[in-house]
Amino acid sequence: MTALLPLPTQLPAQPRAIGSVRLSTKTHAGHSVLDGLYQKGAAKAVFPRANIGLAAVLLNTSGGVTGGDRFCYEAEAGPGTHLTLTTQACERAYRAQDGETGRVSTTLRVADGASLWWLPQETLVFDGCALERRLACDISGTGRALIVEPICLGRLAMGEAQVHGHISDRISITRDGAPLVEDAWCLSGDITAQMAQSATGGGAAAMVSLTYIAPDAEARLGPVRAHLPTTGGASLLADDVLVLRLLAPSGYALRASLLPILDQLTGGEMPLCWRL
């Protein structure tokens, strides 16, 4: 009679997704072109044709982010160039094992006279997720930037109305090394219950933060406000720094308000993947 082997006291470590992309731009014959590119693991970049500058679409070939995953993105818009960064589809923050957290780090640099648009599609937060994100952007001199981070809490279309887990997000924007915008928030535990409170989300299941840094920011404020519902607000931190926060009951409602604003700020040059 064969003796039974004892059961393991803990689950074996699961395989984890690791990926990184680094890229930069330069000018050539009056156009913004790729200067350097490095990509590794589950993170990739493709470069569709764009009407303005250079466009890069980031792909996560693992299909999403779960506990223990690590992704790192670095991009630099060189002097006089324009760079648009987006994602192929919505990112997914999957359920994580206890004690494991997925981490996504983004570092952006905008040279003097350059402009950079960071326009990822929504991050979809699944029940049981554990995700920490950090974005740092440094702008030099007369550089311009548009930084957008939309997020959807739960999958309402799939009947996932209750979301528990942990998600934290920090955005740090500096100009020539001096602090310009610092934005951080964290939801942990019963996320749905926390967002239901009037002092936090008022029952919202989707939200976005947007920062627009350009000399015409003050002139943009009125038109941007005209597109906002009562659950959104926009203001100026300085003459050239516009910030916006928007809450919505669903991802569909979020896009309905956000897309006209992004079209306005980008001159109608939103990445095509946002329309698919």
Side-chain angles (χ1 to χ4, degrees), residues 26-34 79-81:
K26 64 180 180 181
T27 57
H28 177 73
H31 299 282
S32 300
V33 299
L34 194 63
T81 67

Side-chain angles (χ1 to χ4, degrees), residues 162-165 187-197:
Q162 296 293 321
V163 181
H164 297 75
L187 293 169
S188 190
D190 190 337
I191 292 175
T192 303
Q194 293 173 44
M195 289 296 293
Q197 299 175 23

Side-chain angles (χ1 to χ4, degrees), residues 115-117 139 144-148 173 175 180-181 209-221 224 235-245 261-262 264-267:
S115 62
L116 185 148
W117 295 344
I139 303 169
R144 306 181 181 199
L146 172 59
I147 308 294
V148 178
I173 303 175
R175 178 185 283 125
L180 196 62
V181 176
S209 67
L210 179 153
T211 305
Y212 178 73
I213 301 168
D216 63 344
E218 186 174 8
R220 300 275 193 174
L221 182 60
V224 164
S235 60
L236 294 174
L237 295 184
D239 291 343
D240 60 347
V241 181
L242 184 156
V243 294
L244 176 151
R245 300 295 180 269
I261 294 171
L262 292 178
Q264 183 181 107
L265 295 177
T266 63

Side-chain angles (χ1 to χ4, degrees), residues 15-192:
R16 293 297 173 230
I18 306 295
S20 61
V21 171
R22 295 198 304 266
L23 62 92
S24 58
T25 60
K26 64 180 180 181
T27 57
H28 177 73
H31 299 282
S32 300
V33 299
L34 194 63
D35 182 35
L37 173 65
Y38 170 86
Q39 48 191 2
K40 176 183 178 181
K44 306 294 181 186
V46 296
F47 301 90
R49 291 185 179 181
N51 294 326
I52 298 179
L54 181 73
V57 179
L58 302 174
L59 293 77
N60 177 355
T61 60
S62 70
V65 181
T66 187
D69 291 352
R70 301 288 185 271
F71 287 90
C72 179
Y73 302 103
E74 298 182 38
E76 180 173 359
T81 67
H82 174 82
L83 174 61
T84 298
L85 296 158
T86 187
T87 54
Q88 181 188 34
C90 297
E91 185 61 279
R92 292 162 176 80
Y94 291 127
R95 175 182 292 275
Q97 290 186 355
D98 291 342
E100 294 193 346
T101 301
R103 290 182 169 81
V104 180
S105 171
T106 302
T107 302
L108 308 174
R109 290 177 289 273
V110 188
D112 188 28
S115 62
L116 185 148
W117 295 344
W118 172 254
L119 303 172
Q121 297 188 65
E122 299 91 337
T123 294
L124 306 181
V125 174
F126 285 50
D127 186 37
C129 81
L131 176 65
E132 293 187 355
R133 300 191 307 182
R134 300 292 182 265
L135 183 149
C137 176
D138 185 60
I139 303 169
S140 297
T142 60
R144 306 181 181 199
L146 172 59
I147 308 294
V148 178
E149 283 288 4
I151 189 165
C152 297
L153 304 170
R155 298 168 294 162
L156 298 181
M158 302 294 292
E160 189 177 78
Q162 296 293 321
V163 181
H164 297 75
H166 170 82
I167 179 168
S168 69
D169 204 19
R170 174 179 288 278
I171 297 174
S172 176
I173 303 175
T174 57
R175 178 185 283 125
D176 296 321
L180 196 62
V181 176
E182 292 287 342
D183 184 23
W185 58 269
C186 176
L187 293 169
S188 190
D190 190 337
I191 292 175
T192 303

